[in-house]
Amino acid sequence: MEKKTLLVKEPGFYRLMLMLALPVIIQNMITVGVNIMDTVMLGSFGEIQLSGSSLANDFINLFQIACMGVGGGASVLSAQFYGKGDYNNVKKTVAIMLRVILSVAVVCMVISLFFPEELLRIYTADTAVIEKGAIYLRYSTASFVMMAITMTLTLILRSIHDVK
């Protein structure tokens, strides 16, 4: 009977895992750090401002989930094409993914810029919180396109082992 071990004894395995994981860890730490700084800064302004930003972040989180969904689906296809050496279809997959996610970003930007109060009214009826949340959402709108591109392309790059 063969004894199973939890440790991998292949030379270089842990070094490779660290090289792959470190950029992902750093990226996630930066994202969390920015969110923490938002909370700290807005918390010093008051409860209503903090509640407004939290309310606006509900919609921003939905947008991020859409980015992760589109990017995740495209990364599965890209990984399969990359594994077969079919680089032309990897490029096509990335191009389609970018078209889709940029369309989603533009729609979310239009909603956030022109209808933020109506959007936030879905979550609460508190007009003071909605007013502050609308301000936060309008400012956040500027990052939607870059957020869409970076989140989805990061997933693609991870799927083809290019995370350096």
Side-chain angles (χ1 to χ4, degrees):
M1 186 166 173
E2 185 179 312
K3 182 180 175 185
K4 293 187 178 185
T5 179
L6 296 176
L7 299 175
V8 175
K9 296 184 181 180
E10 184 178 320
F13 174 77
Y14 291 104
R15 184 174 181 272
L16 176 64
M17 288 304 298
L18 185 62
M19 299 264 303
L20 290 173
L22 201 56
V24 175
I25 291 168
I26 291 170
Q27 178 191 14
N28 288 335
M29 286 177 62
I30 290 170
T31 301
V32 169
V34 168
N35 291 337
I36 289 171
M37 289 311 298
D38 268 356
T39 303
V40 168
M41 289 188 312
L42 290 170
S44 67
F45 285 116
E47 196 175 293
I48 293 176
Q49 288 83 352
L50 188 58
S51 295
S53 72
S54 177
L55 188 65
N57 275 322
D58 287 345
F59 179 69
I60 294 168
N61 287 337
L62 288 175
F63 173 67
Q64 288 176 333
I65 290 168
C67 290
M68 297 297 285
V70 171
S75 69
V76 169
L77 290 173
S78 295
Q80 290 177 353
F81 291 134
Y82 185 80
K84 290 191 320 189
D86 188 356
Y87 305 116
N88 192 37
N89 275 328
V90 171
K91 291 176 187 177
K92 287 180 184 177
T93 302
V94 171
I96 292 169
M97 176 202 67
L98 287 173
R99 284 188 203 119
V100 168
I101 203 58
L102 288 175
S103 299
V104 171
V106 167
V107 168
C108 289
M109 286 176 70
V110 167
I111 292 169
S112 298
L113 282 173
F114 299 111
F115 309 104
E117 291 87 0
E118 292 81 0
L119 174 68
L120 298 179
R121 205 166 282 117
I122 294 170
Y123 300 108
T124 187
D126 189 335
T127 56
V129 173
I130 289 171
E131 179 185 324
K132 298 301 180 189
I135 293 169
Y136 184 87
L137 190 57
R138 281 191 179 109
Y139 279 111
S140 298
T141 300
S143 67
F144 282 13
V145 169
M146 292 310 296
M147 190 186 316
I149 292 170
T150 57
M151 288 180 77
T152 53
L153 285 181
T154 299
L155 289 170
I156 295 292
L157 291 173
R158 288 179 193 169
S159 74
I160 61 171
H161 303 285
D162 192 6
V163 292
K164 299 176 192 75

